[in-house]
mmCIF file of all heavy atoms in Angstrom:
data_model
loop_
_atom_site.group_PDB
_atom_site.id
_atom_site.type_symbol
_atom_site.label_atom_id
_atom_site.label_comp_id
_atom_site.label_asym_id
_atom_site.label_seq_id
_atom_site.Cartn_x
_atom_site.Cartn_y
_atom_site.Cartn_z
ATOM 1 N N LEU A 1 6.394 -85.691 59.858
ATOM 2 C CA LEU A 1 5.095 -86.023 59.312
ATOM 3 C C LEU A 1 4.312 -84.799 58.997
ATOM 4 O O LEU A 1 3.851 -84.708 57.801
ATOM 5 C CB LEU A 1 4.280 -86.784 60.325
ATOM 6 C CG LEU A 1 2.824 -87.128 60.014
ATOM 7 C CD1 LEU A 1 2.760 -87.826 58.636
ATOM 8 C CD2 LEU A 1 2.178 -87.898 61.083
ATOM 9 N N ASP A 2 4.274 -83.784 59.813
ATOM 10 C CA ASP A 2 3.543 -82.520 59.417
ATOM 11 C C ASP A 2 4.132 -81.823 58.236
ATOM 12 O O ASP A 2 3.431 -81.293 57.347
ATOM 13 C CB ASP A 2 3.528 -81.594 60.611
ATOM 14 C CG ASP A 2 2.434 -80.527 60.454
ATOM 15 O OD1 ASP A 2 1.241 -80.988 60.329
ATOM 16 O OD2 ASP A 2 2.658 -79.365 60.513
ATOM 17 N N THR A 3 5.490 -81.845 58.099
ATOM 18 C CA THR A 3 6.162 -81.251 56.955
ATOM 19 C C THR A 3 5.783 -81.973 55.702
ATOM 20 O O THR A 3 5.485 -81.305 54.668
ATOM 21 C CB THR A 3 7.714 -81.297 57.123
ATOM 22 O OG1 THR A 3 8.003 -80.639 58.333
ATOM 23 C CG2 THR A 3 8.396 -80.718 55.900
ATOM 24 N N LEU A 4 5.750 -83.293 55.748
ATOM 25 C CA LEU A 4 5.326 -84.124 54.585
ATOM 26 C C LEU A 4 3.894 -83.794 54.103
ATOM 27 O O LEU A 4 3.637 -83.640 52.877
ATOM 28 C CB LEU A 4 5.463 -85.629 54.820
ATOM 29 C CG LEU A 4 6.939 -86.183 54.930
ATOM 30 C CD1 LEU A 4 6.836 -87.621 55.443
ATOM 31 C CD2 LEU A 4 7.575 -86.112 53.583
ATOM 32 N N LEU A 5 3.016 -83.666 55.108
ATOM 33 C CA LEU A 5 1.613 -83.330 54.728
ATOM 34 C C LEU A 5 1.511 -81.999 54.098
ATOM 35 O O LEU A 5 0.782 -81.816 53.070
ATOM 36 C CB LEU A 5 0.788 -83.430 56.063
ATOM 37 C CG LEU A 5 0.610 -84.718 56.724
ATOM 38 C CD1 LEU A 5 0.000 -84.612 58.083
ATOM 39 C CD2 LEU A 5 -0.118 -85.702 55.758
ATOM 40 N N HIS A 6 2.226 -80.983 54.642
ATOM 41 C CA HIS A 6 2.221 -79.622 54.054
ATOM 42 C C HIS A 6 2.803 -79.611 52.636
ATOM 43 O O HIS A 6 2.363 -78.884 51.826
ATOM 44 C CB HIS A 6 2.967 -78.620 54.938
ATOM 45 C CG HIS A 6 2.118 -78.168 56.154
ATOM 46 N ND1 HIS A 6 1.095 -77.253 55.969
ATOM 47 C CD2 HIS A 6 2.193 -78.474 57.410
ATOM 48 C CE1 HIS A 6 0.595 -77.033 57.151
ATOM 49 N NE2 HIS A 6 1.219 -77.744 58.047
ATOM 50 N N GLU A 7 3.922 -80.394 52.447
ATOM 51 C CA GLU A 7 4.556 -80.347 51.145
ATOM 52 C C GLU A 7 3.799 -81.087 50.047
ATOM 53 O O GLU A 7 3.829 -80.683 48.876
ATOM 54 C CB GLU A 7 5.978 -81.041 51.271
ATOM 55 C CG GLU A 7 7.008 -80.220 52.005
ATOM 56 C CD GLU A 7 8.317 -80.893 52.143
ATOM 57 O OE1 GLU A 7 8.382 -82.117 51.813
ATOM 58 O OE2 GLU A 7 9.318 -80.183 52.443
ATOM 59 N N HIS A 8 3.032 -82.070 50.420
ATOM 60 C CA HIS A 8 2.436 -82.901 49.317
ATOM 61 C C HIS A 8 0.936 -82.876 49.246
ATOM 62 O O HIS A 8 0.389 -83.556 48.392
ATOM 63 C CB HIS A 8 2.931 -84.375 49.553
ATOM 64 C CG HIS A 8 4.372 -84.570 49.372
ATOM 65 N ND1 HIS A 8 4.958 -84.666 48.123
ATOM 66 C CD2 HIS A 8 5.416 -84.729 50.277
ATOM 67 C CE1 HIS A 8 6.249 -84.790 48.255
ATOM 68 N NE2 HIS A 8 6.623 -84.863 49.571
ATOM 69 N N LEU A 9 0.309 -82.094 50.099
ATOM 70 C CA LEU A 9 -1.111 -81.984 50.038
ATOM 71 C C LEU A 9 -1.492 -80.500 49.765
ATOM 72 O O LEU A 9 -0.909 -79.610 50.253
ATOM 73 C CB LEU A 9 -1.812 -82.475 51.344
ATOM 74 C CG LEU A 9 -1.750 -83.927 51.657
ATOM 75 C CD1 LEU A 9 -2.424 -84.230 53.004
ATOM 76 C CD2 LEU A 9 -2.505 -84.796 50.630
ATOM 77 N N GLU A 10 -2.533 -80.343 49.002
ATOM 78 C CA GLU A 10 -3.034 -79.029 48.686
ATOM 79 C C GLU A 10 -3.845 -78.487 49.791
ATOM 80 O O GLU A 10 -4.523 -79.277 50.460
ATOM 81 C CB GLU A 10 -3.788 -78.974 47.345
ATOM 82 C CG GLU A 10 -2.927 -79.282 46.143
ATOM 83 C CD GLU A 10 -3.809 -79.148 44.857
ATOM 84 O OE1 GLU A 10 -4.992 -78.940 44.949
ATOM 85 O OE2 GLU A 10 -3.172 -79.320 43.795
ATOM 86 N N GLY A 11 -3.898 -77.211 50.022
ATOM 87 C CA GLY A 11 -4.694 -76.669 51.058
ATOM 88 C C GLY A 11 -4.073 -76.724 52.465
ATOM 89 O O GLY A 11 -3.078 -77.290 52.644
ATOM 90 N N GLU A 12 -4.839 -76.181 53.371
ATOM 91 C CA GLU A 12 -4.416 -76.135 54.823
ATOM 92 C C GLU A 12 -5.042 -77.298 55.559
ATOM 93 O O GLU A 12 -5.966 -77.956 55.149
ATOM 94 C CB GLU A 12 -4.696 -74.774 55.379
ATOM 95 C CG GLU A 12 -4.007 -73.623 54.742
ATOM 96 C CD GLU A 12 -2.552 -73.692 54.710
ATOM 97 O OE1 GLU A 12 -1.997 -74.070 55.808
ATOM 98 O OE2 GLU A 12 -1.914 -73.328 53.707
ATOM 99 N N ALA A 13 -4.501 -77.498 56.795
ATOM 100 C CA ALA A 13 -5.063 -78.416 57.706
ATOM 101 C C ALA A 13 -6.501 -78.034 58.144
ATOM 102 O O ALA A 13 -6.813 -76.877 57.943
ATOM 103 C CB ALA A 13 -4.219 -78.507 59.003
ATOM 104 N N PRO A 14 -7.338 -78.970 58.533
ATOM 105 C CA PRO A 14 -6.939 -80.266 58.941
ATOM 106 C C PRO A 14 -6.772 -81.289 57.814
ATOM 107 O O PRO A 14 -7.278 -81.102 56.699
ATOM 108 C CB PRO A 14 -8.199 -80.776 59.777
ATOM 109 C CG PRO A 14 -9.319 -79.944 59.160
ATOM 110 C CD PRO A 14 -8.729 -78.691 58.763
ATOM 111 N N TYR A 15 -5.899 -82.273 58.000
ATOM 112 C CA TYR A 15 -5.604 -83.281 57.051
ATOM 113 C C TYR A 15 -6.315 -84.532 57.529
ATOM 114 O O TYR A 15 -6.236 -84.969 58.722
ATOM 115 C CB TYR A 15 -4.149 -83.532 56.901
ATOM 116 C CG TYR A 15 -3.414 -82.322 56.447
ATOM 117 C CD1 TYR A 15 -2.457 -81.676 57.206
ATOM 118 C CD2 TYR A 15 -3.709 -81.693 55.219
ATOM 119 C CE1 TYR A 15 -1.761 -80.532 56.800
ATOM 120 C CE2 TYR A 15 -3.067 -80.606 54.758
ATOM 121 C CZ TYR A 15 -2.074 -79.998 55.531
ATOM 122 O OH TYR A 15 -1.479 -78.831 55.076
ATOM 123 N N TYR A 16 -6.845 -85.369 56.659
ATOM 124 C CA TYR A 16 -7.624 -86.573 56.974
ATOM 125 C C TYR A 16 -6.814 -87.808 56.675
ATOM 126 O O TYR A 16 -6.292 -87.987 55.641
ATOM 127 C CB TYR A 16 -8.915 -86.555 56.217
ATOM 128 C CG TYR A 16 -9.828 -85.395 56.670
ATOM 129 C CD1 TYR A 16 -9.730 -84.157 56.069
ATOM 130 C CD2 TYR A 16 -10.812 -85.620 57.691
ATOM 131 C CE1 TYR A 16 -10.531 -83.140 56.410
ATOM 132 C CE2 TYR A 16 -11.583 -84.513 58.080
ATOM 133 C CZ TYR A 16 -11.434 -83.272 57.465
ATOM 134 O OH TYR A 16 -12.250 -82.246 57.847
ATOM 135 N N PHE A 17 -6.614 -88.689 57.723
ATOM 136 C CA PHE A 17 -5.881 -89.836 57.584
ATOM 137 C C PHE A 17 -6.574 -91.094 58.080
ATOM 138 O O PHE A 17 -7.621 -91.085 58.750
ATOM 139 C CB PHE A 17 -4.563 -89.722 58.491
ATOM 140 C CG PHE A 17 -4.787 -89.854 59.996
ATOM 141 C CD1 PHE A 17 -4.708 -91.094 60.585
ATOM 142 C CD2 PHE A 17 -5.086 -88.731 60.726
ATOM 143 C CE1 PHE A 17 -4.944 -91.209 61.943
ATOM 144 C CE2 PHE A 17 -5.354 -88.857 62.088
ATOM 145 C CZ PHE A 17 -5.279 -90.085 62.733
ATOM 146 N N ARG A 18 -6.052 -92.246 57.653
ATOM 147 C CA ARG A 18 -6.417 -93.508 58.183
ATOM 148 C C ARG A 18 -5.173 -94.196 58.806
ATOM 149 O O ARG A 18 -4.076 -93.806 58.299
ATOM 150 C CB ARG A 18 -7.083 -94.497 57.165
ATOM 151 C CG ARG A 18 -6.108 -95.014 56.205
ATOM 152 C CD ARG A 18 -6.814 -95.893 55.125
ATOM 153 N NE ARG A 18 -7.294 -97.107 55.659
ATOM 154 C CZ ARG A 18 -6.680 -98.206 55.542
ATOM 155 N NH1 ARG A 18 -5.494 -98.337 54.908
ATOM 156 N NH2 ARG A 18 -7.163 -99.369 56.038
ATOM 157 N N LEU A 19 -5.313 -94.920 59.769
ATOM 158 C CA LEU A 19 -4.086 -95.573 60.422
ATOM 159 C C LEU A 19 -4.178 -97.069 60.087
ATOM 160 O O LEU A 19 -5.187 -97.724 60.193
ATOM 161 C CB LEU A 19 -4.132 -95.374 61.981
ATOM 162 C CG LEU A 19 -2.964 -95.912 62.679
ATOM 163 C CD1 LEU A 19 -1.747 -95.189 62.409
ATOM 164 C CD2 LEU A 19 -3.234 -95.922 64.196
ATOM 165 N N ASN A 20 -2.974 -97.634 59.688
ATOM 166 C CA ASN A 20 -2.886 -99.035 59.417
ATOM 167 C C ASN A 20 -1.656 -99.551 60.233
ATOM 168 O O ASN A 20 -0.547 -98.992 60.136
ATOM 169 C CB ASN A 20 -2.660 -99.280 57.981
ATOM 170 C CG ASN A 20 -2.676 -100.718 57.575
ATOM 171 O OD1 ASN A 20 -3.015 -101.635 58.387
ATOM 172 N ND2 ASN A 20 -2.259 -100.997 56.360
ATOM 173 N N ILE A 21 -1.810 -100.610 60.970
ATOM 174 C CA ILE A 21 -0.726 -101.240 61.713
ATOM 175 C C ILE A 21 -0.526 -102.619 61.213
ATOM 176 O O ILE A 21 -1.375 -103.511 61.157
ATOM 177 C CB ILE A 21 -1.121 -101.338 63.287
ATOM 178 C CG1 ILE A 21 -1.273 -99.926 63.820
ATOM 179 C CG2 ILE A 21 -0.001 -102.038 64.061
ATOM 180 C CD1 ILE A 21 -1.649 -99.890 65.289
ATOM 181 N N LEU A 22 0.702 -102.880 60.659
ATOM 182 C CA LEU A 22 1.131 -104.194 60.163
ATOM 183 C C LEU A 22 1.914 -104.855 61.321
ATOM 184 O O LEU A 22 3.061 -104.393 61.587
ATOM 185 C CB LEU A 22 1.891 -104.076 58.894
ATOM 186 C CG LEU A 22 1.119 -103.417 57.745
ATOM 187 C CD1 LEU A 22 2.056 -103.491 56.422
ATOM 188 C CD2 LEU A 22 -0.203 -104.117 57.412
ATOM 189 N N SER A 23 1.388 -105.847 61.872
ATOM 190 C CA SER A 23 2.003 -106.451 63.129
ATOM 191 C C SER A 23 1.532 -107.924 63.182
ATOM 192 O O SER A 23 0.559 -108.310 62.652
ATOM 193 C CB SER A 23 1.544 -105.670 64.344
ATOM 194 O OG SER A 23 1.800 -106.333 65.490
ATOM 195 N N GLY A 24 2.402 -108.604 63.975
ATOM 196 C CA GLY A 24 2.112 -110.053 64.185
ATOM 197 C C GLY A 24 1.187 -110.155 65.461
ATOM 198 O O GLY A 24 1.034 -111.273 65.979
ATOM 199 N N LYS A 25 0.784 -109.028 66.039
ATOM 200 C CA LYS A 25 0.000 -109.051 67.216
ATOM 201 C C LYS A 25 -1.372 -109.781 67.028
ATOM 202 O O LYS A 25 -1.825 -109.977 65.956
ATOM 203 C CB LYS A 25 -0.364 -107.607 67.623
ATOM 204 C CG LYS A 25 0.886 -106.777 68.070
ATOM 205 C CD LYS A 25 0.405 -105.369 68.381
ATOM 206 C CE LYS A 25 1.586 -104.516 68.836
ATOM 207 N NZ LYS A 25 2.195 -104.966 69.968
ATOM 208 N N ASP A 26 -1.928 -110.173 68.107
ATOM 209 C CA ASP A 26 -3.322 -110.628 68.046
ATOM 210 C C ASP A 26 -4.272 -109.629 67.566
ATOM 211 O O ASP A 26 -4.005 -108.354 67.864
ATOM 212 C CB ASP A 26 -3.703 -111.029 69.531
ATOM 213 C CG ASP A 26 -5.246 -111.351 69.708
ATOM 214 O OD1 ASP A 26 -5.569 -112.463 69.320
ATOM 215 O OD2 ASP A 26 -6.017 -110.500 70.098
ATOM 216 N N ILE A 27 -5.154 -109.953 66.742
ATOM 217 C CA ILE A 27 -5.996 -109.018 66.028
ATOM 218 C C ILE A 27 -6.740 -108.022 66.981
ATOM 219 O O ILE A 27 -6.912 -106.873 66.761
ATOM 220 C CB ILE A 27 -7.009 -109.713 65.077
ATOM 221 C CG1 ILE A 27 -7.803 -108.726 64.257
ATOM 222 C CG2 ILE A 27 -7.984 -110.611 65.902
ATOM 223 C CD1 ILE A 27 -6.902 -108.005 63.220
ATOM 224 N N LYS A 28 -7.243 -108.591 68.066
ATOM 225 C CA LYS A 28 -7.926 -107.806 69.143
ATOM 226 C C LYS A 28 -6.960 -106.780 69.715
ATOM 227 O O LYS A 28 -7.328 -105.595 69.893
ATOM 228 C CB LYS A 28 -8.515 -108.656 70.225
ATOM 229 C CG LYS A 28 -9.403 -107.924 71.176
ATOM 230 C CD LYS A 28 -10.044 -108.960 72.162
ATOM 231 C CE LYS A 28 -10.991 -108.181 73.155
ATOM 232 N NZ LYS A 28 -11.623 -109.077 74.127
ATOM 233 N N GLU A 29 -5.748 -107.180 70.077
ATOM 234 C CA GLU A 29 -4.750 -106.256 70.658
ATOM 235 C C GLU A 29 -4.351 -105.220 69.644
ATOM 236 O O GLU A 29 -4.215 -104.077 69.967
ATOM 237 C CB GLU A 29 -3.489 -107.078 70.991
ATOM 238 C CG GLU A 29 -2.451 -106.287 71.725
ATOM 239 C CD GLU A 29 -1.183 -107.069 71.985
ATOM 240 O OE1 GLU A 29 -1.189 -108.348 71.828
ATOM 241 O OE2 GLU A 29 -0.181 -106.499 72.420
ATOM 242 N N LYS A 30 -4.228 -105.634 68.357
ATOM 243 C CA LYS A 30 -3.901 -104.685 67.353
ATOM 244 C C LYS A 30 -4.907 -103.614 67.119
ATOM 245 O O LYS A 30 -4.667 -102.426 66.950
ATOM 246 C CB LYS A 30 -3.618 -105.423 66.014
ATOM 247 C CG LYS A 30 -2.996 -104.528 64.903
ATOM 248 C CD LYS A 30 -2.468 -105.287 63.734
ATOM 249 C CE LYS A 30 -3.612 -105.887 62.883
ATOM 250 N NZ LYS A 30 -3.117 -106.485 61.670
ATOM 251 N N ASN A 31 -6.205 -104.050 67.107
ATOM 252 C CA ASN A 31 -7.356 -103.062 66.920
ATOM 253 C C ASN A 31 -7.474 -102.107 68.121
ATOM 254 O O ASN A 31 -7.783 -100.972 67.833
ATOM 255 C CB ASN A 31 -8.659 -103.939 66.776
ATOM 256 C CG ASN A 31 -8.770 -104.535 65.323
ATOM 257 O OD1 ASN A 31 -8.065 -104.072 64.465
ATOM 258 N ND2 ASN A 31 -9.591 -105.471 65.337
ATOM 259 N N THR A 32 -7.161 -102.604 69.331
ATOM 260 C CA THR A 32 -7.162 -101.719 70.452
ATOM 261 C C THR A 32 -6.069 -100.664 70.365
ATOM 262 O O THR A 32 -6.273 -99.479 70.563
ATOM 263 C CB THR A 32 -6.986 -102.539 71.767
ATOM 264 O OG1 THR A 32 -8.074 -103.511 71.877
ATOM 265 C CG2 THR A 32 -6.952 -101.628 73.000
ATOM 266 N N LEU A 33 -4.933 -101.109 69.918
ATOM 267 C CA LEU A 33 -3.770 -100.087 69.829
ATOM 268 C C LEU A 33 -4.025 -99.149 68.668
ATOM 269 O O LEU A 33 -3.835 -97.924 68.785
ATOM 270 C CB LEU A 33 -2.446 -100.903 69.478
ATOM 271 C CG LEU A 33 -1.222 -100.023 69.256
ATOM 272 C CD1 LEU A 33 -0.898 -99.270 70.588
ATOM 273 C CD2 LEU A 33 -0.031 -100.898 68.853
ATOM 274 N N LEU A 34 -4.655 -99.629 67.560
ATOM 275 C CA LEU A 34 -5.040 -98.745 66.464
ATOM 276 C C LEU A 34 -6.034 -97.658 66.936
ATOM 277 O O LEU A 34 -5.764 -96.479 66.563
ATOM 278 C CB LEU A 34 -5.629 -99.572 65.361
ATOM 279 C CG LEU A 34 -5.813 -98.961 64.046
ATOM 280 C CD1 LEU A 34 -5.670 -100.030 62.907
ATOM 281 C CD2 LEU A 34 -7.171 -98.275 63.854
ATOM 282 N N LYS A 35 -6.998 -98.022 67.600
ATOM 283 C CA LYS A 35 -7.990 -96.935 68.122
ATOM 284 C C LYS A 35 -7.319 -96.023 69.010
ATOM 285 O O LYS A 35 -7.523 -94.768 68.926
ATOM 286 C CB LYS A 35 -9.129 -97.650 68.783
ATOM 287 C CG LYS A 35 -10.004 -98.421 67.892
ATOM 288 C CD LYS A 35 -11.116 -99.170 68.652
ATOM 289 C CE LYS A 35 -11.992 -100.072 67.703
ATOM 290 N NZ LYS A 35 -13.004 -100.846 68.396
ATOM 291 N N LYS A 36 -6.442 -96.473 69.915
ATOM 292 C CA LYS A 36 -5.804 -95.536 70.860
ATOM 293 C C LYS A 36 -4.837 -94.621 70.136
ATOM 294 O O LYS A 36 -4.765 -93.416 70.517
ATOM 295 C CB LYS A 36 -5.105 -96.371 71.959
ATOM 296 C CG LYS A 36 -6.032 -97.082 72.927
ATOM 297 C CD LYS A 36 -5.198 -97.845 74.001
ATOM 298 C CE LYS A 36 -6.071 -98.450 74.989
ATOM 299 N NZ LYS A 36 -5.282 -99.194 76.041
ATOM 300 N N VAL A 37 -4.097 -95.091 69.219
ATOM 301 C CA VAL A 37 -3.130 -94.267 68.511
ATOM 302 C C VAL A 37 -3.837 -93.214 67.665
ATOM 303 O O VAL A 37 -3.448 -92.034 67.621
ATOM 304 C CB VAL A 37 -2.169 -95.111 67.615
ATOM 305 C CG1 VAL A 37 -1.249 -94.227 66.732
ATOM 306 C CG2 VAL A 37 -1.304 -96.048 68.448
ATOM 307 N N SER A 38 -4.911 -93.606 66.966
ATOM 308 C CA SER A 38 -5.710 -92.713 66.217
ATOM 309 C C SER A 38 -6.261 -91.595 67.050
ATOM 310 O O SER A 38 -6.143 -90.405 66.593
ATOM 311 C CB SER A 38 -6.940 -93.442 65.456
ATOM 312 O OG SER A 38 -6.410 -94.406 64.582
ATOM 313 N N ALA A 39 -6.755 -91.858 68.198
ATOM 314 C CA ALA A 39 -7.279 -90.820 69.027
ATOM 315 C C ALA A 39 -6.154 -89.905 69.565
ATOM 316 O O ALA A 39 -6.381 -88.660 69.626
ATOM 317 C CB ALA A 39 -8.044 -91.425 70.206
ATOM 318 N N ALA A 40 -4.939 -90.564 69.958
ATOM 319 C CA ALA A 40 -3.862 -89.780 70.450
ATOM 320 C C ALA A 40 -3.294 -88.800 69.457
ATOM 321 O O ALA A 40 -2.896 -87.712 69.724
ATOM 322 C CB ALA A 40 -2.833 -90.775 70.938
ATOM 323 N N LEU A 41 -3.340 -89.282 68.165
ATOM 324 C CA LEU A 41 -2.842 -88.417 67.059
ATOM 325 C C LEU A 41 -3.680 -87.201 66.844
ATOM 326 O O LEU A 41 -3.216 -86.062 66.617
ATOM 327 C CB LEU A 41 -2.733 -89.224 65.689
ATOM 328 C CG LEU A 41 -1.524 -90.119 65.584
ATOM 329 C CD1 LEU A 41 -1.729 -91.055 64.381
ATOM 330 C CD2 LEU A 41 -0.245 -89.410 65.522
ATOM 331 N N GLU A 42 -5.021 -87.345 66.924
ATOM 332 C CA GLU A 42 -5.928 -86.317 66.834
ATOM 333 C C GLU A 42 -5.655 -85.231 67.939
ATOM 334 O O GLU A 42 -5.576 -84.083 67.685
ATOM 335 C CB GLU A 42 -7.354 -86.709 66.832
ATOM 336 C CG GLU A 42 -7.792 -87.450 65.572
ATOM 337 C CD GLU A 42 -9.245 -87.671 65.497
ATOM 338 O OE1 GLU A 42 -10.011 -87.498 66.614
ATOM 339 O OE2 GLU A 42 -9.822 -88.027 64.439
ATOM 340 N N ASN A 43 -5.519 -85.757 69.114
ATOM 341 C CA ASN A 43 -5.331 -84.929 70.325
ATOM 342 C C ASN A 43 -4.007 -84.151 70.313
ATOM 343 O O ASN A 43 -4.001 -82.951 70.520
ATOM 344 C CB ASN A 43 -5.491 -85.726 71.648
ATOM 345 C CG ASN A 43 -6.871 -86.236 71.868
ATOM 346 O OD1 ASN A 43 -7.866 -85.605 71.432
ATOM 347 N ND2 ASN A 43 -7.012 -87.389 72.592
ATOM 348 N N VAL A 44 -2.959 -84.864 70.002
ATOM 349 C CA VAL A 44 -1.583 -84.234 70.100
ATOM 350 C C VAL A 44 -1.470 -83.141 68.944
ATOM 351 O O VAL A 44 -0.732 -82.232 69.073
ATOM 352 C CB VAL A 44 -0.491 -85.319 69.992
ATOM 353 C CG1 VAL A 44 -0.366 -85.827 68.592
ATOM 354 C CG2 VAL A 44 0.822 -84.740 70.468
ATOM 355 N N SER A 45 -2.220 -83.354 67.919
ATOM 356 C CA SER A 45 -2.081 -82.452 66.745
ATOM 357 C C SER A 45 -3.049 -81.230 66.875
ATOM 358 O O SER A 45 -3.167 -80.367 66.049
ATOM 359 C CB SER A 45 -2.351 -83.174 65.407
ATOM 360 O OG SER A 45 -3.697 -83.533 65.288
#
C-alpha cells in the first residue's frame, strides 16, 4: 500500500484517505469496524 501511494501520488506523506467497507454485515457492526480500522491505520503508519 505505501509503495502504491508513493508511486501514484505527488509529494510526500502524509497521505489522506477514506475507508470504505463493502460487506454484508449489519450496518452498525460495519460502521464500528470502519472507525476502528481507520484509527488503527493512522496509528500503525
Side-chain angles (χ1 to χ4, degrees):
L1 173 56
D2 199 55
T3 301
L4 288 171
L5 294 173
H6 279 287
E7 287 179 346
H8 294 285
L9 290 177
E10 293 183 357
E12 298 299 320
Y15 300 118
Y16 295 85
F17 73 90
R18 70 184 292 263
L19 182 67
N20 186 12
I21 297 177
L22 300 185
S23 165
K25 295 177 181 296
D26 173 77
I27 186 69
K28 187 176 180 180
E29 181 185 354
K30 187 170 73 172
N31 286 339
T32 299
L33 180 62
L34 192 149
K35 291 177 182 177
K36 288 182 177 180
V37 173
S38 297
L41 281 171
E42 288 192 347
N43 290 332
V44 76
S45 69

